[in-house]
Amino acid sequence: MPELQSRRQPTPSPVQPSAASPSRRAALAGAVLAAGGLQLATAPSALAAQDSLQSSASDVAGPLAFKIADFGGLTPATRQAWQADLEQGDVILLGEHHNSVEDHALQLELLRNLAGQSERDGKVLAVGLEMVQKQFQPALDAYTQGGLSDRQLFEQTDWAKRWTWPFELYQPLFQFCRSGKIKLVALNTDAEVLAKVESGGLENLTKEEWQANIPDRVGFSQLGKDPAFKAYLANIVVPSYRLHQRLGILRQTVTGQVLDKDMSLQHFVGGRILWDETMAGSAVKALSELGGPSRARLALLVGNDHVKFRYGILERVRRLAKAAVSGADSGKGDVGSPWQVLSVVCNPRNSDGLLQQDGTPMESLVLEMQVPAAVSQSRTAAATTARPRQVPLADLILLSPDSMDKSGFIPA
């Protein structure tokens, strides 16, 4: 889904999006800007990480990296360590703020690292795009093969209408992939399908639309019963709905269709999970068609909202990958190794953590989401409760040098 961030006036470039009418994206874009930059809850290990990096930040080339430790603290990761983590990933989620120059520059650096690793180990690198809907895959193929210019790609993906965030921010990424013959993969749900769910719910989909976007209906339904997914809905998706409600923008689908009344919470959630499930399925299909993890790796450029706390895309990829491995070797059962799915949040802001119930960010970035413990009844004793689970924001947090001072993440 679109990030809740401000949209900057783009720098003039050869490709300029046409003026678009006000949309849910535009209304949401400025809603959280007033929340300001990042403030981090100061758990002891977070302070230790800050002290350690404060003394050596000037000697570190490239981004600073952190891993989330127990109890919501941070531990610094060396460049060698975080690069090794990336290289071991089969599917790497590179979260972004769609309007951030720093995030896209950081993504480009990470893609260069992965391309270098592909040269060393012989695995094909592909890049999946939230920004492009599945119906436009032929345009991406033509572009990477040199058959389309940047302007033609902009036009043939209907970018100005279907994405609207400045195209020029993505041009260096696209051009890098074209120059390296790196396959680009259209991940997203076609807007026409998403609008049907936002206006009428998942039950509004045809059999063909289910098969094209959610072929694993059983697994899709089972994930909805996972306590961690329920916590994700309660802490991320439902507050987002409340923000839409408070801003008065629930009478418009993502395609601009005007509704007779506010979109229901059920339809809003349906659209959100359709979006995530389609992107996860597109990723698994693409990597499988490239020969699987033994022959390829896939980096996904998606909003941080789909990366954080695992239950946007990550857990869906893991579930669908397991099914893909089983299906490929159905006579022997699931004998394949699980895919390594890595999540990266770039240059986090407070709005990338848990949200208050009205949809506004917390006062500080919360690094873990608590999943209520299951309660079981014993024949001989009262209810016993397991220890609550903690779901981390991401596997890696990366900060680009240009963002450090304004983020507040590292003290000056």
Side-chain angles (χ1 to χ4, degrees):
M1 295 287 284
E3 296 298 295
L4 309 185
Q5 308 297 347
S6 68
R7 294 182 59 192
R8 301 177 184 173
Q9 187 66 28
T11 303
S13 78
V15 177
Q16 286 293 334
S18 59
S21 59
S23 65
R24 273 170 45 196
R25 290 183 200 275
L28 281 170
V32 185
L33 181 61
L38 175 70
Q39 298 295 325
L40 182 67
T42 52
S45 54
L47 293 174
Q50 290 177 347
D51 290 342
S52 172
L53 288 167
Q54 174 67 15
S55 63
S56 60
S58 61
D59 298 325
V60 177
L64 294 183
F66 299 86
K67 292 187 177 183
I68 297 173
D70 291 339
F71 308 111
L74 291 172
T75 57
T78 66
R79 186 177 184 88
Q80 182 180 11
W82 68 255
Q83 284 183 331
D85 285 344
L86 285 183
E87 292 165 1
Q88 291 170 10
D90 302 319
V91 179
I92 305 103
L93 312 180
L94 301 180
E96 65 175 51
H97 304 96
H98 303 313
N99 63 336
S100 170
V101 174
E102 293 85 3
D103 288 10
H104 295 307
L106 181 52
Q107 287 175 325
L108 182 56
E109 178 178 351
L110 299 178
L111 290 184
R112 288 192 175 115
N113 288 338
L114 291 171
Q117 178 61 21
S118 289
E119 291 180 0
R120 292 188 292 273
D121 63 20
K123 289 187 179 182
V124 173
L125 174 64
V127 176
L129 305 173
E130 178 191 3
M131 310 86 215
V132 181
Q133 295 169 13
K134 294 199 303 179
Q135 63 184 296
F136 301 121
Q137 184 62 51
L140 293 180
D141 292 340
Y143 177 79
T144 54
Q145 292 164 10
L148 294 182
S149 66
D150 288 355
R151 175 172 291 280
Q152 289 172 319
L153 179 66
F154 171 78
E155 293 169 348
Q156 293 191 26
T157 56
D158 200 12
W159 187 283
K161 179 180 178 182
R162 293 175 185 262
W163 189 243
T164 74
W165 300 97
F167 182 89
E168 63 270 25
L169 294 181
Y170 295 88
Q171 278 180 285
L173 293 159
F174 295 161
Q175 291 168 353
F176 172 76
C177 291
R178 180 174 59 183
S179 65
K181 303 297 183 183
I182 296 171
K183 182 176 179 63
L184 292 172
V185 178
L187 296 177
N188 215 336
T189 315
D190 292 340
E192 295 81 0
V193 176
L194 180 60
K196 290 180 68 173
V197 173
E198 290 188 326
S199 61
L202 289 167
E203 59 271 22
N204 214 21
L205 296 179
T206 66
K207 180 179 179 181
E208 292 74 21
E209 288 165 341
W210 273 100
Q211 184 60 34
N213 296 280
I214 311 177
D216 178 26
R217 294 181 67 169
V218 173
F220 177 76
S221 177
Q222 288 176 341
L223 182 65
K225 301 174 183 177
D226 186 326
F229 175 73
K230 293 179 179 180
Y232 176 82
L233 283 182
N235 288 286
I236 304 299
V237 182
V238 173
S240 177
Y241 175 81
R242 301 300 178 204
L243 178 59
H244 281 72
Q245 191 174 53
R246 190 161 53 86
L247 295 174
I249 53 174
L250 284 173
R251 293 202 176 186
Q252 181 177 317
T253 69
V254 73
T255 59
Q257 176 186 351
V258 178
L259 305 175
D260 294 334
K261 58 183 180 180
D262 278 1
M263 186 186 309
S264 69
L265 175 61
Q266 181 181 0
H267 294 173
F268 181 89
V269 171
R272 172 62 177 264
I273 60 180
L274 169 66
W275 192 306
D276 285 332
E277 183 79 5
T278 301
M279 289 197 290
S282 298
V284 171
K285 181 175 182 288
L287 188 55
S288 297
E289 290 177 347
L290 290 170
S294 64
R295 298 184 179 179
R297 59 172 54 88
L298 178 66
L300 307 185
L301 308 185
V302 297
N304 276 338
D305 225 28
H306 302 282
V307 175
K308 63 186 184 184
F309 301 115
R310 303 179 69 91
Y311 280 83
I313 296 178
L314 188 147
E315 289 296 334
R316 297 178 186 277
V317 169
R318 287 175 58 86
R319 186 194 90 238
L320 292 168
K322 183 177 180 179
V325 170
S326 298
D329 199 1
S330 57
K332 299 180 180 178
D334 185 11
V335 297
S337 299
W339 290 13
Q340 299 300 313
V341 188
L342 185 77
S343 59
V344 180
V345 166
C346 296
N347 299 317
R349 306 171 186 176
N350 289 0
S351 56
D352 294 317
L354 302 182
L355 301 176
Q356 300 184 66
Q357 284 304 301
D358 65 356
T360 55
M362 298 286 189
E363 293 183 358
S364 60
L365 178 66
V366 180
L367 297 174
E368 290 185 321
M369 177 182 73
Q370 182 168 305
V371 179
V375 177
S376 61
Q377 293 290 339
S378 164
R379 293 181 180 179
T380 58
T384 57
T385 304
R387 181 179 177 181
R389 289 172 54 195
Q390 301 292 337
V391 178
L393 175 68
D395 295 309
L396 282 174
I397 293 175
L398 293 183
L399 284 169
S400 55
D402 291 341
S403 73
M404 292 175 196
D405 291 339
K406 54 190 174 184
S407 74
F409 198 90
I410 302 297

